[in-house]
Amino acid sequence: MLPFSLNTFSSRSSTVARSDYLFTSESVSEGHPDKVCDRISDEIVDLFFREGPKAGIDPWDIRAACETLATTNKVVIAGETRGPSTVTKDWIAHTARMAIRDIGYEQDGFHWDTCDIDVLLHGQSADIAQGVDARQPTNQEEGAGDQGIMFGYACRETDELMPAPIYYAHKILRLISEARHADTEKVLGPDSKSQVTIRYANGKPVGVTQIVVSHQHLIENMTSHQVRELVEPYVRRALPEGWISKETVWHINPTGKFFIGGPDGDSGLTGRKIIVDTYGGAAPHGGGAFSGKDPTKVDRSAAYAARYLAKNVVAAGVADRCTIQLSYAIGVARPLSIYADFHGTGKVDESSVEKLFERGDIMDLTPRGIRRHLDLNKPIYARTSAYGHFGRAPDAEGGFSWEKTDLADKIKAGL
């Protein structure tokens, strides 16, 4: 039982939501050039969190802001770190190679064993550190690593409380990737993209009108038809039964050929797929990327916290859709503002939830509080670098802790 009237709806959203429309989201695989860079950057964050405690460094003191660029047989890793001196440049380069190998790149233009890797990481700026570290004389508690705005979102379109278009775009590529890694689809390369256009009726997703899959192939003269024969079964497995009809239009390798892939075909850069990483355009984005950043960077940790809060609001039955915005200033611990929008689906007014979160009874939203609550000082980041940071099941190692719904009862009681 909810401790409020089901007939009390939010007045925040003054416009009436459309009920019948088309909406499209895209995904990219772990072999996409930008995702190769995200993976390398997150592997380096994980490396620091794995090796720091072994060298006697408190995980709370580890810092990483790692950017990667990849192009034909070249990888450049730059940024700022603070951690164990035992993590050498050679070790970092080796970590990048192992990531590239795991993704599956062994082609002439980009090979894990022969590509040239430059490591240009250096120490974190003292000016940034003095605003973040709690032990600095001017700080009573740990401040945010930067200013910024972060959004979290949840809705009832899938069991994972994610928007359907991005969820199924990810699922298509994830199933193909699993088959490729199992050597079931040996002629498919690591680089691929998907896109689904979903039809909504009465505000609910009911079918797919357009399907796009562009997938790298390792045999040069393969046709689009041959690639479709390989990928179509995975597309059908990914989508709910009955969503694909005779009217659904398929676009499989629409250029006709996708042999040259990965960084050899197009350069990659960390943090260029922020909409793919989040909600596929169904919700706002604050603009900050996630990969390569330790959790003192609120671009990452506060975005995870905002998703966590939004998901628990929906899981609690407070709303069918929920957007949460948090904002921070560098060196300041507590969020500057907390905003909620239920998009006309709320059972209470949004301001009551905002006040509940502002009090801190549900969750400490300082950077340190977020890291503690979600247990983020761990090597859990490489697994987030492809197929979305949200809508994934929490794992035994502590990954995706922000996907838990363990706050739902507390939110209901608080209201």
Side-chain angles (χ1 to χ4, degrees):
M1 291 288 294
L2 294 174
F4 38 74
S5 170
L6 294 178
N7 294 320
T8 304
F9 287 94
S10 164
S11 60
R12 175 79 58 87
S13 301
S14 59
T15 59
V16 178
R18 293 179 62 190
S19 60
D20 301 297
Y21 55 93
L22 303 177
F23 194 85
T24 303
S25 292
E26 70 157 347
S27 178
V28 298
S29 72
E30 77 266 32
H32 184 280
D34 295 330
K35 283 291 151 197
V36 171
C37 295
D38 285 347
R39 171 72 178 272
I40 292 170
S41 295
D42 276 336
E43 289 282 5
I44 292 167
V45 175
D46 284 355
L47 177 63
F48 273 80
F49 274 114
R50 273 195 304 270
E51 298 305 317
K54 297 178 185 177
I57 295 178
D58 190 333
W60 290 95
D61 290 331
I62 287 174
R63 302 287 184 267
C66 180
E67 310 279 352
T68 302
L69 165 72
T71 185
T72 302
N73 276 328
K74 182 76 173 182
V75 173
V76 180
I77 302 168
E80 305 79 47
T81 63
R82 187 174 77 193
S85 59
T86 53
V87 177
T88 63
K89 290 186 176 183
D90 286 344
W91 197 347
I92 290 168
H94 174 74
T95 299
R97 289 192 193 281
M98 293 304 98
I100 297 166
R101 184 176 72 170
D102 185 64
I103 292 168
Y105 277 111
E106 295 185 339
Q107 59 195 46
D108 290 340
F110 196 70
H111 195 294
W112 67 269
D113 191 37
T114 59
C115 68
D116 183 35
I117 300 179
D118 288 344
V119 179
L120 306 177
L121 294 169
H122 59 79
Q124 185 188 39
S125 163
D127 291 350
I128 294 176
Q130 73 177 355
V132 177
D133 293 344
R135 64 173 177 265
Q136 294 289 334
T138 56
N139 298 345
Q140 295 181 346
E141 52 187 338
E142 182 180 287
D146 202 351
Q147 71 175 48
I149 57 175
M150 299 84 207
F151 287 93
Y153 181 74
C155 62
R156 293 198 178 278
E157 294 179 14
T158 62
D159 291 342
E160 293 75 12
L161 305 185
M162 284 288 288
I166 188 65
Y167 177 79
Y168 291 114
H170 284 323
K171 190 173 182 180
I172 289 168
L173 295 186
R174 196 170 65 246
L175 290 176
I176 298 173
S177 174
E178 290 168 0
R180 184 175 61 82
H181 283 291
D183 285 337
T184 303
E185 301 295 351
K186 295 183 179 181
V187 300
L188 294 179
D191 194 357
S192 60
K193 302 177 77 171
S194 68
Q195 188 169 285
V196 292
T197 299
I198 290 182
R199 181 169 63 87
Y200 286 73
N202 296 320
K204 299 183 182 300
V206 296
V208 177
T209 64
Q210 305 272 344
I211 296 169
V212 183
V213 177
S214 295
H215 211 297
Q216 182 188 13
H217 44 88
L218 302 180
I219 298 175
E220 186 168 3
N221 60 355
M222 285 186 72
T223 66
S224 296
H225 178 73
Q226 289 171 319
V227 174
R228 175 169 174 171
E229 287 182 330
L230 294 177
V231 305
E232 183 173 341
Y234 300 102
V235 175
R236 291 186 179 276
R237 276 178 53 196
L239 295 169
E241 187 175 354
W243 276 29
I244 297 175
S245 68
K246 292 184 295 184
E247 286 72 39
T248 301
V249 180
W250 294 70
H251 307 272
I252 308 300
N253 282 17
T255 65
K257 183 179 180 180
F258 189 3
F259 178 66
I260 301 172
D264 187 32
D266 189 10
S267 62
L269 191 65
T270 300
R272 274 205 302 215
K273 287 291 177 284
I274 58 177
I275 300 302
V276 171
D277 284 344
T278 53
Y279 308 102
H285 195 293
F290 302 157
S291 289
K293 297 177 181 177
D294 75 74
T296 66
K297 281 72 173 173
V298 284
D299 279 345
R300 180 169 223 159
S301 56
Y304 290 172
R307 160 66 177 173
Y308 182 52
L309 293 177
K311 187 173 184 180
N312 276 272
V313 165
V314 174
V318 176
D320 292 334
R321 291 175 61 201
C322 178
T323 298
I324 299 291
Q325 185 204 57
L326 304 174
S327 69
Y328 291 84
I330 188 168
V332 179
R334 302 199 176 276
L336 308 185
S337 63
I338 301 173
Y339 167 83
D341 187 355
F342 299 156
H343 308 277
T345 70
K347 311 303 187 294
V348 300
D349 189 81
E350 288 95 339
S351 62
S352 61
V353 171
E354 292 166 353
K355 292 173 183 175
L356 180 66
F357 292 163
E358 286 166 1
R359 289 200 301 269
D361 300 338
I362 301 300
M363 180 182 180
D364 180 356
L365 291 172
T366 65
R368 195 172 186 88
I370 293 170
R371 285 205 283 165
R372 182 185 295 112
H373 190 111
L374 296 178
D375 201 12
L376 297 180
N377 293 335
K378 287 182 174 181
I380 56 173
Y381 296 105
R383 69 198 69 180
T384 69
S385 61
Y387 311 116
H389 292 245
F390 308 126
R392 313 272 291 275
D395 59 42
E397 291 77 36
F400 302 101
S401 59
W402 49 93
E403 290 297 309
K404 295 178 181 179
T405 54
D406 53 348
L407 295 182
D409 290 341
K410 198 173 181 180
I411 288 172
K412 285 191 286 187
L415 293 171

